[in-house]
Amino acid sequence: MRDGEQDREEVVLCLFTHHSAEGTISPILAVFWYHKSSKKLKEEIMNQKPVRVRFAPSPTGHLHVGGARTALFNWLYARNRGGKFILRIEDTDQARSTLESEKMVKHDLRWLGMDWDEGPEIGGDFGPYRQSERMEIYKKHAEQLLAEGKAYRCFCTDAELTAKREQAEAESRSPHYDGTCLKLSETEIQEKLAAGVPFTIRFKVPDNAYTLYDMIRGAVHWEPGTLGDFIILRSDGMPVYNFCVVVDDHLMEISHVIRAEEHLPNTLRQIMLYEAFGWKPPKFAHASLILGQDRSKLSKRHGATSVGQFKEEGYLSEAMVNYLALLGWNEGKDREEYTIPELIKAFSVKRINNSPAVFDMDKLNWLNGIHLRKLTDEQLFEVGAPFLVAAFPFLTPLVADHNPWILAALNMEKNKMVLLSELGERLQFLFHYELKGNEEMRAFFAEETHLAAGRLMAERILAVKDLTPDSFWEAAMSIKEEGFKGKALFHPLRALLTGTLSGPELNAMVPVLVSGANIPELVSIQDRCRKFIEVFGR
RNA sequence: GGGGCAUUCGUCUAGGGGUUAGGACGCCGGCCUCUCACGCCGGAAACAGGGGUUCAAUUCCCCUAUGCCCUACCA
């Protein structure tokens, strides 16, 4: 227990969460005892504000795994507590924000299985949910601080500020704003205003010490003087992140802010603003950063980091969510595998870690395999078919028809692949059969017994009039009478059939090959046998 | 430069004043097996360093080191 806040968290967790068998969550008020002082507790529960959390991406590109994890922690918390999950678009950086990015982010969130209760398009009682549509609100609040003398106009130009900063650094002083414009007289200000000199609005930083009680880190303390007066409204009238985040979180009645540690230093600015407005801040929880292999903050240069890329590479959203949840959070049990409903049930903020975590592709891959193997036929078809079609476009009609052959083909690889994108390469053998110049086959059939088995089986299979899985096996297995058995029998058969020494189980493969004979691009068993005799026949 | 946060196997982590420091990925070995996988069994592998406090520190405190984040008219 880090502090009193934690205590309360745990209590409410017990009382507000209910899981039905289907894994859906319904908030209920089950009153059962938890603590000696249950009367006081009940009172507290009734006074407890509903959980309202938000994910607030800036739409400047794809959804990044770091952002996805932040969104996930918020979403899991909301769903666990029967609260609301709000999507807010932080697009005050007009130069970098695009509607296209916003769409991609939303698309990726949905793919991961996260839905939101309030947000752009769907609306809600606290909208609008795009910061670019809330300009009047920010302006009004900035002017309020201005009127109250808690903020002031700054007429310094960019060049002047840069010079001041450089000089401060040269003299190894803190590069804080020096407060030049704070000393401006009222007449000077009016003159500049009349002359149309552009200005920003700066927040006058109080000379106080601050302590933040973070749900994950406990008390975080700042001494006075760590911060210079910072800009809240740009000269073009656009508000700055640290300002609108406070205004919005308050107006949207956000109860908990769960975000990455990179925002921890910013929180000081924010609690100053809450104080200036006389608002009660939400509870903060700062999760640690996700790092790349080199232990710096995960970014594009570490390779695939956008959620969309993982999807394209054949990762399952369930695996992604499972992995992301485990990156910086754990239930406290020796458990790695979770479905999404299981995560909702198990999640708690207080078990989020406070030390940075390296993104481990190996473990993600392993989890993907785990989730892949748990897929039902229907699910496997749904996620696998697109990859099949991408590799073999001529299968499009079969997929459209939900032809069972597709499922049979997918099932051959279900236990073997790590990524769905391997499907193309793994099933290549169905549509290609090449023995000439195949060094592996030459070496294999250089062995006398292998060659003999292959020849015999090819001939006997070709002699079958109506090839079915049964008649196939009968013909192939008939060479047992010649003394072939075990590896000496199955290995040559595999080689004969696929032209390689590894691949799916023969038992699964034969029906796929037989029933796929009507697919023009598929190389039939007969053709395989004929080609074999052509290359390795007597 | 200043501020903040962090530090248990290579990686993700459990634990926490007295433990054979537990699990998972990856790695190695074995079993299963027509191959490759899956699965199962086993193995190697960690408390950053130095000071305290204590009968006892990996666990609590301090310092150092290291890493990361913030220090923008980015979010």
Short mmCIF file of all heavy atoms in Angstrom, two decimals, chain A residues 329-387:
data_model
loop_
_atom_site.label_atom_id
_atom_site.label_comp_id
_atom_site.label_asym_id
_atom_site.label_seq_id
_atom_site.Cartn_x
_atom_site.Cartn_y
_atom_site.Cartn_z
N TRP A 329 2.87 -4.77 -17.20
CA TRP A 329 1.82 -5.12 -16.24
C TRP A 329 1.87 -6.63 -16.04
O TRP A 329 2.24 -7.37 -16.96
CB TRP A 329 0.44 -4.73 -16.79
CG TRP A 329 -0.69 -5.26 -15.95
CD1 TRP A 329 -1.24 -4.67 -14.85
CD2 TRP A 329 -1.40 -6.50 -16.12
NE1 TRP A 329 -2.23 -5.46 -14.33
CE2 TRP A 329 -2.35 -6.60 -15.09
CE3 TRP A 329 -1.31 -7.56 -17.05
CZ2 TRP A 329 -3.21 -7.68 -14.95
CZ3 TRP A 329 -2.15 -8.64 -16.91
CH2 TRP A 329 -3.11 -8.70 -15.87
N ASN A 330 1.52 -7.08 -14.86
CA ASN A 330 1.33 -8.52 -14.67
C ASN A 330 0.38 -8.72 -13.52
O ASN A 330 0.19 -7.86 -12.67
CB ASN A 330 2.66 -9.22 -14.41
CG ASN A 330 3.15 -8.93 -13.02
OD1 ASN A 330 2.82 -9.62 -12.07
ND2 ASN A 330 3.94 -7.87 -12.89
N GLU A 331 -0.22 -9.88 -13.52
CA GLU A 331 -1.26 -10.14 -12.54
C GLU A 331 -0.67 -10.53 -11.19
O GLU A 331 -1.37 -10.58 -10.19
CB GLU A 331 -2.18 -11.24 -13.08
CG GLU A 331 -3.50 -11.34 -12.33
CD GLU A 331 -4.35 -12.51 -12.80
OE1 GLU A 331 -4.01 -13.14 -13.81
OE2 GLU A 331 -5.37 -12.79 -12.14
N GLY A 332 0.61 -10.87 -11.18
CA GLY A 332 1.21 -11.34 -9.95
C GLY A 332 1.15 -12.85 -9.85
O GLY A 332 1.39 -13.43 -8.80
N LYS A 333 0.78 -13.46 -10.97
CA LYS A 333 0.72 -14.92 -11.01
C LYS A 333 1.67 -15.39 -12.11
O LYS A 333 2.02 -14.64 -13.00
CB LYS A 333 -0.69 -15.37 -11.36
CG LYS A 333 -1.71 -15.04 -10.30
CD LYS A 333 -3.10 -15.48 -10.73
CE LYS A 333 -4.11 -15.14 -9.64
NZ LYS A 333 -5.50 -15.24 -10.14
N ASP A 334 2.03 -16.66 -12.04
CA ASP A 334 2.86 -17.21 -13.11
C ASP A 334 1.98 -17.52 -14.31
O ASP A 334 1.64 -18.67 -14.57
CB ASP A 334 3.56 -18.50 -12.63
CG ASP A 334 4.62 -18.18 -11.59
OD1 ASP A 334 5.07 -17.03 -11.55
OD2 ASP A 334 4.99 -19.09 -10.85
N ARG A 335 1.59 -16.48 -14.98
CA ARG A 335 0.66 -16.67 -16.08
C ARG A 335 1.01 -15.72 -17.22
O ARG A 335 1.29 -14.56 -17.00
CB ARG A 335 -0.76 -16.38 -15.59
CG ARG A 335 -1.80 -16.55 -16.65
CD ARG A 335 -3.20 -16.35 -16.11
NE ARG A 335 -4.15 -16.50 -17.18
CZ ARG A 335 -5.45 -16.25 -17.07
NH1 ARG A 335 -5.92 -15.85 -15.91
NH2 ARG A 335 -6.26 -16.41 -18.09
N GLU A 336 0.99 -16.27 -18.43
CA GLU A 336 1.35 -15.46 -19.59
C GLU A 336 0.23 -15.37 -20.61
O GLU A 336 0.18 -14.44 -21.39
CB GLU A 336 2.58 -16.06 -20.31
CG GLU A 336 3.66 -16.62 -19.41
CD GLU A 336 4.52 -15.55 -18.79
OE1 GLU A 336 4.72 -14.52 -19.41
OE2 GLU A 336 4.96 -15.78 -17.64
N GLU A 337 -0.62 -16.36 -20.62
CA GLU A 337 -1.61 -16.42 -21.70
C GLU A 337 -2.96 -15.89 -21.22
O GLU A 337 -3.51 -16.39 -20.24
CB GLU A 337 -1.76 -17.86 -22.18
CG GLU A 337 -0.45 -18.44 -22.69
CD GLU A 337 -0.51 -19.95 -22.90
OE1 GLU A 337 -1.61 -20.49 -23.11
OE2 GLU A 337 0.56 -20.58 -22.83
N TYR A 338 -3.44 -14.90 -21.91
CA TYR A 338 -4.72 -14.29 -21.57
C TYR A 338 -5.55 -14.03 -22.82
O TYR A 338 -5.02 -13.62 -23.84
CB TYR A 338 -4.52 -12.93 -20.89
CG TYR A 338 -3.92 -12.97 -19.51
CD1 TYR A 338 -2.54 -13.01 -19.33
CD2 TYR A 338 -4.73 -12.95 -18.39
CE1 TYR A 338 -1.98 -13.02 -18.06
CE2 TYR A 338 -4.19 -12.96 -17.11
CZ TYR A 338 -2.82 -12.99 -16.96
OH TYR A 338 -2.28 -13.00 -15.70
N THR A 339 -6.84 -14.23 -22.69
CA THR A 339 -7.75 -13.71 -23.70
C THR A 339 -8.11 -12.29 -23.27
O THR A 339 -7.83 -11.89 -22.14
CB THR A 339 -9.04 -14.54 -23.78
OG1 THR A 339 -9.71 -14.43 -22.52
CG2 THR A 339 -8.73 -16.01 -24.07
N ILE A 340 -8.77 -11.58 -24.14
CA ILE A 340 -9.13 -10.21 -23.80
C ILE A 340 -10.09 -10.16 -22.60
O ILE A 340 -9.87 -9.38 -21.67
CB ILE A 340 -9.66 -9.45 -25.04
CG1 ILE A 340 -8.49 -9.26 -26.01
CG2 ILE A 340 -10.25 -8.10 -24.65
CD1 ILE A 340 -8.85 -8.67 -27.34
N PRO A 341 -11.14 -10.97 -22.57
CA PRO A 341 -12.00 -10.95 -21.39
C PRO A 341 -11.25 -11.30 -20.10
O PRO A 341 -11.53 -10.73 -19.04
CB PRO A 341 -13.06 -12.02 -21.70
CG PRO A 341 -13.10 -12.09 -23.18
CD PRO A 341 -11.69 -11.83 -23.63
N GLU A 342 -10.29 -12.19 -20.21
CA GLU A 342 -9.49 -12.54 -19.03
C GLU A 342 -8.65 -11.36 -18.56
O GLU A 342 -8.46 -11.14 -17.36
CB GLU A 342 -8.59 -13.75 -19.33
CG GLU A 342 -9.37 -15.05 -19.40
CD GLU A 342 -8.57 -16.20 -20.02
OE1 GLU A 342 -7.50 -15.95 -20.63
OE2 GLU A 342 -9.02 -17.34 -19.91
N LEU A 343 -8.15 -10.61 -19.53
CA LEU A 343 -7.36 -9.42 -19.17
C LEU A 343 -8.24 -8.39 -18.47
O LEU A 343 -7.83 -7.78 -17.48
CB LEU A 343 -6.75 -8.79 -20.43
CG LEU A 343 -5.51 -9.47 -20.99
CD1 LEU A 343 -5.11 -8.83 -22.31
CD2 LEU A 343 -4.35 -9.41 -20.01
N ILE A 344 -9.43 -8.20 -18.99
CA ILE A 344 -10.35 -7.24 -18.38
C ILE A 344 -10.59 -7.61 -16.93
O ILE A 344 -10.55 -6.78 -16.03
CB ILE A 344 -11.68 -7.19 -19.16
CG1 ILE A 344 -11.46 -6.56 -20.53
CG2 ILE A 344 -12.72 -6.40 -18.37
CD1 ILE A 344 -12.67 -6.61 -21.43
N LYS A 345 -10.80 -8.88 -16.72
CA LYS A 345 -11.10 -9.36 -15.38
C LYS A 345 -9.90 -9.18 -14.44
O LYS A 345 -10.05 -8.81 -13.28
CB LYS A 345 -11.48 -10.84 -15.46
CG LYS A 345 -12.02 -11.39 -14.18
CD LYS A 345 -12.53 -12.81 -14.38
CE LYS A 345 -13.02 -13.40 -13.08
NZ LYS A 345 -13.44 -14.80 -13.25
N ALA A 346 -8.71 -9.43 -14.96
CA ALA A 346 -7.52 -9.46 -14.10
C ALA A 346 -6.87 -8.10 -13.91
O ALA A 346 -6.10 -7.90 -12.97
CB ALA A 346 -6.49 -10.43 -14.69
N PHE A 347 -7.19 -7.15 -14.78
CA PHE A 347 -6.43 -5.90 -14.81
C PHE A 347 -6.59 -5.03 -13.56
O PHE A 347 -7.68 -4.91 -13.01
CB PHE A 347 -6.82 -5.08 -16.03
CG PHE A 347 -5.92 -3.91 -16.24
CD1 PHE A 347 -4.66 -4.08 -16.78
CD2 PHE A 347 -6.31 -2.63 -15.87
CE1 PHE A 347 -3.81 -3.00 -16.96
CE2 PHE A 347 -5.47 -1.55 -16.04
CZ PHE A 347 -4.22 -1.73 -16.59
N SER A 348 -5.48 -4.46 -13.14
CA SER A 348 -5.55 -3.43 -12.12
C SER A 348 -4.38 -2.47 -12.30
O SER A 348 -3.30 -2.88 -12.71
CB SER A 348 -5.50 -4.03 -10.72
OG SER A 348 -4.22 -4.55 -10.47
N VAL A 349 -4.63 -1.22 -12.03
CA VAL A 349 -3.60 -0.19 -12.23
C VAL A 349 -2.43 -0.40 -11.29
O VAL A 349 -1.28 -0.18 -11.64
CB VAL A 349 -4.20 1.21 -12.06
CG1 VAL A 349 -3.10 2.27 -12.08
CG2 VAL A 349 -5.21 1.50 -13.16
N LYS A 350 -2.72 -0.86 -10.09
CA LYS A 350 -1.62 -0.92 -9.13
C LYS A 350 -0.60 -2.01 -9.46
O LYS A 350 0.48 -2.04 -8.89
CB LYS A 350 -2.15 -1.05 -7.71
CG LYS A 350 -2.81 -2.35 -7.39
CD LYS A 350 -3.26 -2.28 -5.93
CE LYS A 350 -3.12 -3.63 -5.27
NZ LYS A 350 -3.39 -3.55 -3.84
N ARG A 351 -0.92 -2.87 -10.40
CA ARG A 351 0.08 -3.85 -10.80
C ARG A 351 0.79 -3.48 -12.10
O ARG A 351 1.48 -4.31 -12.70
CB ARG A 351 -0.54 -5.25 -10.89
CG ARG A 351 -0.92 -5.83 -9.51
CD ARG A 351 -0.86 -7.32 -9.48
NE ARG A 351 0.48 -7.81 -9.76
CZ ARG A 351 1.37 -8.13 -8.80
NH1 ARG A 351 1.06 -8.04 -7.54
NH2 ARG A 351 2.56 -8.57 -9.15
N ILE A 352 0.64 -2.24 -12.50
CA ILE A 352 1.44 -1.75 -13.61
C ILE A 352 2.85 -1.49 -13.07
O ILE A 352 3.01 -0.97 -11.98
CB ILE A 352 0.86 -0.45 -14.21
CG1 ILE A 352 -0.52 -0.72 -14.82
CG2 ILE A 352 1.80 0.11 -15.28
CD1 ILE A 352 -1.21 0.53 -15.36
N ASN A 353 3.84 -1.86 -13.85
CA ASN A 353 5.24 -1.72 -13.42
C ASN A 353 5.77 -0.32 -13.55
O ASN A 353 5.29 0.45 -14.34
CB ASN A 353 6.12 -2.60 -14.30
CG ASN A 353 6.23 -3.96 -13.71
OD1 ASN A 353 6.10 -4.13 -12.52
ND2 ASN A 353 6.47 -4.92 -14.55
N ASN A 354 6.81 -0.06 -12.79
CA ASN A 354 7.40 1.28 -12.87
C ASN A 354 8.77 1.31 -13.53
O ASN A 354 9.40 2.35 -13.59
CB ASN A 354 7.44 1.92 -11.49
CG ASN A 354 8.24 1.07 -10.52
OD1 ASN A 354 8.32 1.35 -9.36
ND2 ASN A 354 8.84 0.01 -11.01
N SER A 355 9.23 0.19 -14.04
CA SER A 355 10.53 0.25 -14.72
C SER A 355 10.36 -0.08 -16.20
O SER A 355 9.49 -0.87 -16.57
CB SER A 355 11.53 -0.69 -14.06
OG SER A 355 11.03 -1.99 -14.03
N PRO A 356 11.16 0.52 -17.03
CA PRO A 356 11.00 0.40 -18.48
C PRO A 356 11.13 -1.05 -18.97
O PRO A 356 11.81 -1.86 -18.35
CB PRO A 356 12.14 1.25 -19.04
CG PRO A 356 12.70 2.01 -17.91
CD PRO A 356 12.31 1.32 -16.65
N ALA A 357 10.46 -1.35 -20.07
CA ALA A 357 10.43 -2.70 -20.60
C ALA A 357 10.85 -2.74 -22.07
O ALA A 357 10.38 -1.96 -22.88
CB ALA A 357 9.04 -3.30 -20.45
N VAL A 358 11.75 -3.65 -22.38
CA VAL A 358 12.20 -3.82 -23.76
C VAL A 358 11.19 -4.66 -24.54
O VAL A 358 10.72 -5.69 -24.06
CB VAL A 358 13.59 -4.49 -23.81
CG1 VAL A 358 14.00 -4.82 -25.24
CG2 VAL A 358 14.63 -3.61 -23.14
N PHE A 359 10.84 -4.18 -25.70
CA PHE A 359 9.91 -4.89 -26.56
C PHE A 359 10.60 -6.13 -27.12
O PHE A 359 11.60 -6.04 -27.80
CB PHE A 359 9.47 -3.96 -27.71
CG PHE A 359 8.29 -4.47 -28.48
CD1 PHE A 359 7.01 -4.13 -28.10
CD2 PHE A 359 8.47 -5.29 -29.58
CE1 PHE A 359 5.91 -4.60 -28.80
CE2 PHE A 359 7.37 -5.76 -30.29
CZ PHE A 359 6.09 -5.41 -29.90
N ASP A 360 10.06 -7.29 -26.80
CA ASP A 360 10.70 -8.56 -27.15
C ASP A 360 9.92 -9.30 -28.23
O ASP A 360 8.90 -9.92 -27.96
CB ASP A 360 10.81 -9.41 -25.88
CG ASP A 360 11.52 -10.74 -26.14
OD1 ASP A 360 12.01 -10.95 -27.27
OD2 ASP A 360 11.57 -11.56 -25.21
N MET A 361 10.43 -9.20 -29.44
CA MET A 361 9.75 -9.79 -30.58
C MET A 361 9.61 -11.31 -30.43
O MET A 361 8.60 -11.88 -30.85
CB MET A 361 10.55 -9.47 -31.84
CG MET A 361 9.75 -9.51 -33.10
SD MET A 361 8.45 -8.26 -33.12
CE MET A 361 9.34 -6.90 -33.84
N ASP A 362 10.60 -11.95 -29.83
CA ASP A 362 10.55 -13.41 -29.67
C ASP A 362 9.33 -13.82 -28.84
O ASP A 362 8.66 -14.80 -29.15
CB ASP A 362 11.82 -13.91 -28.97
CG ASP A 362 13.00 -13.96 -29.92
OD1 ASP A 362 12.78 -14.12 -31.13
OD2 ASP A 362 14.13 -13.80 -29.45
N LYS A 363 9.09 -13.08 -27.80
CA LYS A 363 7.98 -13.44 -26.94
C LYS A 363 6.64 -13.16 -27.61
O LYS A 363 5.68 -13.91 -27.46
CB LYS A 363 8.07 -12.69 -25.60
CG LYS A 363 7.12 -13.25 -24.57
CD LYS A 363 7.61 -13.02 -23.17
CE LYS A 363 6.68 -13.65 -22.15
NZ LYS A 363 7.18 -13.50 -20.78
N LEU A 364 6.59 -12.08 -28.35
CA LEU A 364 5.38 -11.77 -29.13
C LEU A 364 5.11 -12.91 -30.12
O LEU A 364 3.97 -13.37 -30.26
CB LEU A 364 5.60 -10.48 -29.89
CG LEU A 364 4.44 -9.58 -30.31
CD1 LEU A 364 4.72 -8.86 -31.59
CD2 LEU A 364 3.09 -10.26 -30.37
N ASN A 365 6.16 -13.34 -30.79
CA ASN A 365 6.00 -14.43 -31.76
C ASN A 365 5.47 -15.68 -31.09
O ASN A 365 4.57 -16.34 -31.61
CB ASN A 365 7.35 -14.74 -32.43
CG ASN A 365 7.75 -13.67 -33.42
OD1 ASN A 365 6.90 -12.88 -33.88
ND2 ASN A 365 9.02 -13.62 -33.75
N TRP A 366 6.02 -16.00 -29.95
CA TRP A 366 5.58 -17.18 -29.22
C TRP A 366 4.09 -17.06 -28.87
O TRP A 366 3.31 -17.99 -29.06
CB TRP A 366 6.43 -17.33 -27.95
CG TRP A 366 5.91 -18.31 -26.98
CD1 TRP A 366 5.96 -19.67 -27.10
CD2 TRP A 366 5.23 -18.03 -25.74
NE1 TRP A 366 5.35 -20.25 -26.00
CE2 TRP A 366 4.91 -19.27 -25.16
CE3 TRP A 366 4.89 -16.85 -25.07
CZ2 TRP A 366 4.24 -19.36 -23.93
CZ3 TRP A 366 4.23 -16.94 -23.85
CH2 TRP A 366 3.92 -18.19 -23.30
N LEU A 367 3.71 -15.89 -28.36
CA LEU A 367 2.32 -15.68 -28.00
C LEU A 367 1.40 -15.75 -29.22
O LEU A 367 0.27 -16.22 -29.14
CB LEU A 367 2.14 -14.32 -27.31
CG LEU A 367 2.23 -14.32 -25.80
CD1 LEU A 367 2.15 -12.90 -25.27
CD2 LEU A 367 1.12 -15.17 -25.18
N ASN A 368 1.92 -15.28 -30.34
CA ASN A 368 1.11 -15.34 -31.55
C ASN A 368 0.81 -16.80 -31.91
O ASN A 368 -0.31 -17.15 -32.26
CB ASN A 368 1.81 -14.63 -32.71
CG ASN A 368 0.83 -14.16 -33.75
OD1 ASN A 368 -0.09 -13.41 -33.46
ND2 ASN A 368 1.00 -14.63 -34.98
N GLY A 369 1.84 -17.63 -31.79
CA GLY A 369 1.64 -19.06 -32.04
C GLY A 369 0.61 -19.64 -31.08
O GLY A 369 -0.25 -20.42 -31.48
N ILE A 370 0.70 -19.26 -29.84
CA ILE A 370 -0.24 -19.75 -28.83
C ILE A 370 -1.68 -19.39 -29.22
O ILE A 370 -2.57 -20.23 -29.20
CB ILE A 370 0.08 -19.11 -27.45
CG1 ILE A 370 1.45 -19.55 -26.95
CG2 ILE A 370 -1.01 -19.42 -26.43
CD1 ILE A 370 1.53 -20.94 -26.43
N HIS A 371 -1.87 -18.15 -29.60
CA HIS A 371 -3.23 -17.71 -29.93
C HIS A 371 -3.69 -18.29 -31.26
O HIS A 371 -4.88 -18.55 -31.45
CB HIS A 371 -3.32 -16.19 -29.93
CG HIS A 371 -3.40 -15.62 -28.55
ND1 HIS A 371 -2.30 -15.29 -27.80
CD2 HIS A 371 -4.47 -15.38 -27.75
CE1 HIS A 371 -2.69 -14.84 -26.61
NE2 HIS A 371 -4.01 -14.89 -26.56
N LEU A 372 -2.75 -18.47 -32.15
CA LEU A 372 -3.07 -19.08 -33.44
C LEU A 372 -3.63 -20.48 -33.23
O LEU A 372 -4.61 -20.88 -33.84
CB LEU A 372 -1.77 -19.15 -34.25
CG LEU A 372 -1.76 -18.92 -35.74
CD1 LEU A 372 -2.67 -17.79 -36.18
CD2 LEU A 372 -0.32 -18.63 -36.17
N ARG A 373 -3.01 -21.22 -32.35
CA ARG A 373 -3.41 -22.60 -32.13
C ARG A 373 -4.76 -22.70 -31.41
O ARG A 373 -5.39 -23.74 -31.43
CB ARG A 373 -2.33 -23.34 -31.33
CG ARG A 373 -1.30 -23.98 -32.24
CD ARG A 373 -0.06 -24.38 -31.49
NE ARG A 373 1.06 -23.58 -31.98
CZ ARG A 373 1.89 -22.90 -31.23
NH1 ARG A 373 1.79 -22.92 -29.92
NH2 ARG A 373 2.86 -22.20 -31.77
N LYS A 374 -5.15 -21.62 -30.77
CA LYS A 374 -6.43 -21.65 -30.06
C LYS A 374 -7.61 -21.27 -30.96
O LYS A 374 -8.76 -21.33 -30.52
CB LYS A 374 -6.38 -20.68 -28.87
CG LYS A 374 -5.53 -21.19 -27.74
CD LYS A 374 -5.92 -20.60 -26.39
CE LYS A 374 -5.89 -19.10 -26.39
NZ LYS A 374 -5.67 -18.54 -25.03
N LEU A 375 -7.30 -20.84 -32.17
CA LEU A 375 -8.35 -20.39 -33.08
C LEU A 375 -9.32 -21.50 -33.45
O LEU A 375 -8.92 -22.64 -33.70
CB LEU A 375 -7.70 -19.86 -34.36
CG LEU A 375 -7.61 -18.37 -34.64
CD1 LEU A 375 -7.56 -17.52 -33.38
CD2 LEU A 375 -6.43 -18.07 -35.53
N THR A 376 -10.60 -21.18 -33.51
CA THR A 376 -11.58 -22.13 -34.05
C THR A 376 -11.44 -22.14 -35.57
O THR A 376 -10.81 -21.24 -36.15
CB THR A 376 -13.01 -21.70 -33.70
OG1 THR A 376 -13.27 -20.44 -34.34
CG2 THR A 376 -13.21 -21.57 -32.20
N ASP A 377 -12.05 -23.12 -36.21
CA ASP A 377 -12.00 -23.19 -37.68
C ASP A 377 -12.49 -21.90 -38.30
O ASP A 377 -11.91 -21.36 -39.24
CB ASP A 377 -12.86 -24.36 -38.18
CG ASP A 377 -12.12 -25.69 -38.02
OD1 ASP A 377 -10.93 -25.66 -37.63
OD2 ASP A 377 -12.73 -26.74 -38.27
N GLU A 378 -13.58 -21.42 -37.76
CA GLU A 378 -14.18 -20.20 -38.31
C GLU A 378 -13.23 -19.01 -38.20
O GLU A 378 -13.04 -18.25 -39.14
CB GLU A 378 -15.46 -19.92 -37.53
CG GLU A 378 -16.49 -19.12 -38.28
CD GLU A 378 -17.77 -19.02 -37.46
OE1 GLU A 378 -18.21 -20.06 -36.90
OE2 GLU A 378 -18.30 -17.91 -37.36
N GLN A 379 -12.63 -18.89 -37.02
CA GLN A 379 -11.69 -17.78 -36.80
C GLN A 379 -10.46 -17.92 -37.68
O GLN A 379 -9.96 -16.95 -38.24
CB GLN A 379 -11.27 -17.74 -35.33
CG GLN A 379 -12.39 -17.38 -34.39
CD GLN A 379 -12.02 -17.61 -32.93
OE1 GLN A 379 -11.29 -18.56 -32.61
NE2 GLN A 379 -12.49 -16.75 -32.05
N LEU A 380 -9.99 -19.16 -37.78
CA LEU A 380 -8.80 -19.41 -38.61
C LEU A 380 -9.07 -19.00 -40.05
O LEU A 380 -8.24 -18.37 -40.70
CB LEU A 380 -8.41 -20.88 -38.53
CG LEU A 380 -7.19 -21.29 -39.35
CD1 LEU A 380 -5.93 -20.58 -38.85
CD2 LEU A 380 -6.98 -22.80 -39.31
N PHE A 381 -10.25 -19.36 -40.53
CA PHE A 381 -10.61 -19.00 -41.90
C PHE A 381 -10.61 -17.48 -42.05
O PHE A 381 -10.04 -16.93 -42.97
CB PHE A 381 -12.00 -19.57 -42.23
CG PHE A 381 -12.37 -19.42 -43.68
CD1 PHE A 381 -12.20 -20.48 -44.56
CD2 PHE A 381 -12.87 -18.22 -44.17
CE1 PHE A 381 -12.53 -20.35 -45.90
CE2 PHE A 381 -13.20 -18.08 -45.50
CZ PHE A 381 -13.04 -19.15 -46.37
N GLU A 382 -11.23 -16.85 -41.11
CA GLU A 382 -11.39 -15.40 -41.20
C GLU A 382 -10.06 -14.67 -41.24
O GLU A 382 -9.84 -13.77 -42.05
CB GLU A 382 -12.23 -14.91 -40.01
CG GLU A 382 -12.72 -13.50 -40.17
CD GLU A 382 -13.40 -13.01 -38.90
OE1 GLU A 382 -14.06 -13.83 -38.22
OE2 GLU A 382 -13.25 -11.83 -38.58
N VAL A 383 -9.14 -15.06 -40.35
CA VAL A 383 -7.87 -14.33 -40.31
C VAL A 383 -6.86 -14.86 -41.33
O VAL A 383 -6.00 -14.12 -41.80
CB VAL A 383 -7.23 -14.35 -38.90
CG1 VAL A 383 -8.11 -13.62 -37.90
CG2 VAL A 383 -6.92 -15.75 -38.44
N GLY A 384 -6.99 -16.16 -41.67
CA GLY A 384 -5.99 -16.76 -42.55
C GLY A 384 -6.26 -16.56 -44.03
O GLY A 384 -5.32 -16.37 -44.82
N ALA A 385 -7.53 -16.57 -44.41
CA ALA A 385 -7.88 -16.49 -45.82
C ALA A 385 -7.28 -15.27 -46.53
O ALA A 385 -6.75 -15.40 -47.64
CB ALA A 385 -9.39 -16.53 -46.00
N PRO A 386 -7.32 -14.09 -45.91
CA PRO A 386 -6.73 -12.94 -46.60
C PRO A 386 -5.25 -13.13 -46.93
O PRO A 386 -4.78 -12.67 -47.97
CB PRO A 386 -6.91 -11.81 -45.59
CG PRO A 386 -8.07 -12.21 -44.76
CD PRO A 386 -7.99 -13.71 -44.67
N PHE A 387 -4.54 -13.81 -46.06
CA PHE A 387 -3.12 -14.03 -46.33
C PHE A 387 -2.93 -15.05 -47.45
O PHE A 387 -2.00 -14.97 -48.25
CB PHE A 387 -2.40 -14.49 -45.06
CG PHE A 387 -2.17 -13.37 -44.10
CD1 PHE A 387 -3.12 -13.04 -43.15
CD2 PHE A 387 -1.01 -12.60 -44.18
CE1 PHE A 387 -2.92 -11.98 -42.28
CE2 PHE A 387 -0.79 -11.53 -43.31
CZ PHE A 387 -1.76 -11.22 -42.35
#
